[in-house]
Amino acid sequence: MKILLHHPAREVTIKGPKRVGQVLRELDLLADTVLVIRGDELIPEDEVVRDDDTIEVRPVISGG
């Protein structure tokens, strides 16, 4: 699967199928700190992503 990351922007390829939580652990990211998006859908940690999927991982930003 193709994974698009931000801050810093980069593209990573990981073999699937895997659950989103597994992908985040491989990328050394905490699930509470990012949003994972496939197409226009926000996908949860237990969702399975496959080799032909492209997902985007965006950092959660909060502020006032």
Side-chain angles (χ1 to χ4, degrees):
M1 74 198 71
K2 184 164 64 173
I3 304 165
L4 307 173
L5 296 145
H6 298 269
H7 304 288
R10 64 187 193 275
E11 187 177 306
V12 176
T13 301
I14 293 180
K15 284 276 202 189
K18 293 185 177 180
R19 295 193 184 279
V20 169
Q22 290 174 295
V23 172
L24 293 176
R25 281 190 292 280
E26 285 188 27
L27 296 171
D28 203 23
L29 296 171
L30 298 173
D32 294 344
T33 65
V34 295
L35 299 174
V36 181
I37 302 160
R38 180 176 46 206
D40 293 333
E41 261 183 53
L42 190 63
I43 52 175
E45 237 182 296
D46 61 347
E47 181 87 15
V48 174
V49 286
R50 304 186 188 292
D51 279 337
D52 60 344
D53 283 328
T54 298
I55 60 174
E56 184 177 353
V57 179
R58 293 184 186 181
V60 174
I61 298 172
S62 63

